[in-house]
Amino acid sequence: MLQQTQVKTVIPYFERWLQAFPTIAALATADLQQVLKVWQGLGYYARARNLHRAAQEILQHHQGIFPTELEAVLALPGIGRTTAGGILSAAYNQRVPILDGNVKRVLARVVALETAPNRTIARLWQASTVLLDPDNPRDFNQALMDLGATVCTPKHPACLICPWKEYCRAHTLNMQDELPVSETRPPLPRKSIGVGVIWNAAGEILIDRRRPEGLLGGLWEFPGGKIEPGETVEECIQREIREELGIEIAVGDRLITINHTYSHFHVTLHVHHCHHLSGEPQPIESDEVRWVQVTELEKFPFPKANIHIINALLAGE
Ligand code: SF4
């Protein structure tokens, strides 16, 4: 849960999660839709799907007990080297290094790394391995993460109170404010999406469930797709609905416009009310389609950007 997310944001989700799934077996046997619903709002849904699959693998291959060998831990879905090191050192006091965002920054300063950390990752792993206290790996890794979170902070590191100031090259060279070298990233692309809230004669709305793989996999959404060059929002919605669901609709008034940022792109959702004209909806590019009442929408896991659409509908807009 803590990947890409701050502790204070995670705490209420963590508590809700443990209430819903108090054991590995409880998580492994839960329905994916329930898992995604409990996770809803935390974002990066691949983490929820990976946790679910990892619990299932632990139940199947490790008698329901979390493995203690590095190779077996790394083989679980969603667990990379840092997470594996964090778990094995914290839970079993094993001599396994870590390299999360805070640790990368601390070590890049300690060795005065002349390139962006992600371009010289092998050197930082080596530093984390060499420095690890073989007698106290649990405390050492925890202290290293804490040092990054509280003393060697991204801006204005508090070198004067740092226990490593005598050994730190950045401090010696008075370069602590310039390091680590920042990654030059191109600006995020923006996608414009036309979205239809499709009503039928019975006053129900059409929603579809995304395929399990990929971004937001397994979540429900209001159908739509990318606006092609030269296309109006209305034309896009009509075309997408025909291609994805095999039905004809009339596109009506704008309901809401939503801007949202994912890790690799910005998205603008242009959402319109639509009316079903003909055809039986088919899940051509999704796993399932359903007609539901507005009041039922809250039962389904939706991506964060879609929650604004639901709120607008509940407010009767
Ligand atoms: S001396 Fe300063 S730059 Fe070096 S590790 Fe400590 S806080 Fe970070």
Side-chain angles (χ1 to χ4, degrees):
M1 283 183 176
L2 289 164
Q3 285 168 358
Q4 316 276 343
T5 312
Q6 292 184 338
V7 174
K8 68 173 191 297
T9 308
V10 161
I11 288 171
Y13 285 96
F14 179 71
E15 286 170 350
R16 258 195 322 153
W17 182 268
L18 281 193
Q19 253 176 14
F21 314 115
T23 62
I24 289 175
L27 176 59
T29 53
D31 183 69
L32 177 62
Q33 290 295 298
Q34 192 203 351
V35 172
L36 293 173
K37 186 69 197 168
V38 176
W39 193 275
Q40 182 175 292
L42 200 49
Y44 301 105
Y45 286 84
R47 298 178 297 179
R49 293 193 301 270
N50 283 334
L51 267 172
H52 188 223
R53 276 175 46 224
Q56 290 172 337
E57 288 191 16
I58 292 168
L59 201 60
Q60 273 173 19
H61 304 301
H62 303 284
Q63 293 81 46
I65 298 167
F66 198 92
T68 56
E69 308 78 36
L70 181 60
E71 292 308 311
V73 176
L74 283 171
L76 294 172
I79 299 197
R81 220 171 141 187
T82 276
T83 308
I87 294 168
L88 290 175
S89 62
Y92 305 117
N93 205 21
Q94 289 189 18
R95 293 177 194 173
V96 193
I98 53 167
L99 194 61
D100 72 353
N102 281 334
V103 174
K104 274 184 208 167
R105 180 175 60 255
V106 174
L107 296 179
R109 286 175 175 158
V110 168
V111 302
L113 198 67
E114 57 289 336
T115 52
N118 285 335
R119 291 174 189 270
T120 329
I121 209 77
R123 199 159 152 219
L124 293 178
W125 272 112
Q126 191 197 14
S128 185
T129 309
V130 169
L131 288 168
L132 182 66
D133 179 347
D135 298 324
N136 300 293
R138 173 191 289 141
D139 290 346
F140 181 88
N141 280 346
Q142 186 61 52
L144 192 53
M145 289 189 282
D146 288 348
L147 189 72
T150 61
V151 178
C152 195
T153 46
K155 288 194 179 135
H156 313 303
C159 299
L160 290 182
I161 58 163
C162 178
W164 274 2
K165 62 176 181 290
E166 284 173 48
Y167 317 102
C168 174
R169 287 202 69 209
H171 176 61
T172 312
L173 301 168
N174 198 23
M175 288 180 68
Q176 62 274 15
D177 289 321
E178 282 107 74
L179 294 175
V181 174
S182 60
E183 207 92 46
T184 41
R185 289 202 189 130
L188 295 181
R190 176 171 293 283
K191 295 184 186 178
S192 288
I193 308 283
V195 177
V197 170
I198 306 167
W199 297 86
N200 66 11
E204 295 165 318
I205 293 173
L206 194 60
I207 58 174
D208 68 74
R209 183 156 54 82
R210 292 174 73 97
R211 293 198 173 133
E213 61 280 350
L215 182 74
L216 310 176
L219 295 179
W220 290 82
E221 65 177 7
F222 298 92
K226 205 166 141 218
I227 302 172
E228 299 293 350
E231 210 175 34
T232 64
V233 173
E234 286 84 353
E235 286 165 350
C236 159
I237 296 174
Q238 213 150 30
R239 175 184 54 76
E240 286 285 344
I241 300 307
R242 193 179 296 131
E243 287 171 6
E244 287 184 13
L245 303 165
I247 58 171
E248 292 301 326
I249 55 161
V251 181
D253 292 344
R254 189 186 73 95
L255 169 64
I256 189 172
T257 302
I258 300 158
N259 288 309
H260 191 74
T261 297
Y262 291 100
S263 54
H264 293 93
F265 61 93
H266 302 291
V267 67
T268 303
L269 303 181
H270 303 271
V271 189
H272 279 245
H273 286 291
C274 302
H275 296 281
H276 177 230
L277 297 177
S278 62
E280 189 62 35
Q282 311 291 324
I284 298 168
E285 291 187 15
S286 58
D287 258 6
E288 187 184 345
V289 291
R290 261 195 221 191
W291 290 107
V292 295
Q293 299 286 342
V294 174
T295 49
E296 288 177 287
L297 289 170
E298 284 180 307
K299 284 195 238 156
F300 299 88
F302 278 89
K304 209 172 194 171
N306 279 222
I307 303 296
H308 298 295
I309 304 175
I310 295 174
N311 289 341
L313 288 168
L314 289 172
E317 288 173 21

